[in-house]
Amino acid sequence: MTDLLWLDIAADVATILAALAVIATTFAVWRQMRLQAAGQNKDERRFLRESIFVVHDTLQGEQFRNARQNFFGSGQYKQDFNAYGDDDKGRARYILSVYGLLARMIDHDAIDEAVASGYWKTAMFRDWDRLENFVSGERLRSSNGTLFSATEQMVARWKKGDQA
């Protein structure tokens, strides 16, 4: 009988130790998941920070500034689409592609829209108004009515936000 009592006690101790092991494993897994989540948040914040730097550098870059200055500075942006030279069309496409990058990064939550709007809204409104003639002509030429639509939608959202 004594052997049976010791066997029962040993089985109970083994059960308690197994339960403690499950608890310890659960705690370790929970802790690791929290660490991974914190690391993911850091990676996400780093991605967002790097995204805004890429867009900022592009919008402040010499190539973009030169394209804007050469396209808008001459006043030729006011002319009919068919009167644009190849260089002016290339400049306008480049300007719109940079703004399109900004719009798409906002649409995919890579850049905070409020930050982008606060920083680039004034230039964006001015440039879009001056590019509308080009955009209309380019859409007709390419038979693509949605060309540059991401930028157009972003401008419309920002203008609507200003009216609210």
Side-chain angles (χ1 to χ4, degrees):
M1 179 97 136
T2 313
D3 290 339
L4 194 54
L5 182 61
W6 284 110
L7 191 58
D8 282 344
I9 292 173
D12 290 342
V13 168
T15 302
I16 292 170
L17 290 175
L20 289 173
V22 168
I23 292 169
T25 302
T26 302
F27 176 75
V29 168
W30 173 80
R31 183 175 176 270
Q32 186 63 34
M33 288 175 56
R34 283 188 42 134
L35 289 172
Q36 286 176 350
Q40 183 177 7
N41 288 340
K42 286 180 185 175
D43 289 344
E44 189 173 316
R45 283 194 310 268
R46 184 177 332 128
F47 170 73
L48 295 175
R49 191 170 50 249
E50 289 171 359
S51 297
I52 196 79
F53 286 142
V54 166
V55 171
H56 179 270
D57 288 348
T58 304
L59 286 165
Q60 298 299 322
E62 187 175 344
Q63 184 179 1
F64 185 72
R65 283 194 329 254
N66 287 341
R68 288 181 73 241
Q69 182 179 8
N70 291 328
F71 185 76
F72 298 129
S74 66
Q76 292 180 352
Y77 65 90
K78 298 175 185 176
Q79 63 191 1
D80 184 59
F81 177 80
N82 294 325
Y84 288 126
D86 289 341
D87 287 343
D88 281 332
K89 287 179 181 178
R91 289 180 189 109
R93 287 181 188 116
Y94 178 72
I95 294 164
L96 287 162
S97 73
V98 170
Y99 284 136
L101 171 68
L102 174 64
R104 285 188 171 29
M105 292 185 91
I106 288 169
D107 289 346
H108 293 285
D109 296 323
I111 295 176
D112 182 73
E113 187 162 9
V115 171
S117 172
Y119 199 84
W120 291 296
K121 179 173 57 175
T122 302
M124 184 73 166
F125 286 176
R126 182 182 58 240
D127 289 356
W128 181 257
D129 288 344
R130 295 189 289 183
L131 284 162
E132 280 185 309
N133 187 37
F134 174 82
V135 169
S136 297
E138 189 73 357
R139 285 176 176 172
L140 285 173
R141 182 200 63 77
S142 66
S143 300
N144 182 351
T146 62
L147 199 59
F148 312 117
S149 63
T151 304
E152 183 177 36
Q153 291 166 5
M154 180 176 61
V155 169
R157 270 194 321 270
W158 291 2
K159 285 184 176 181
K160 186 178 179 183
D162 280 357
Q163 294 171 355

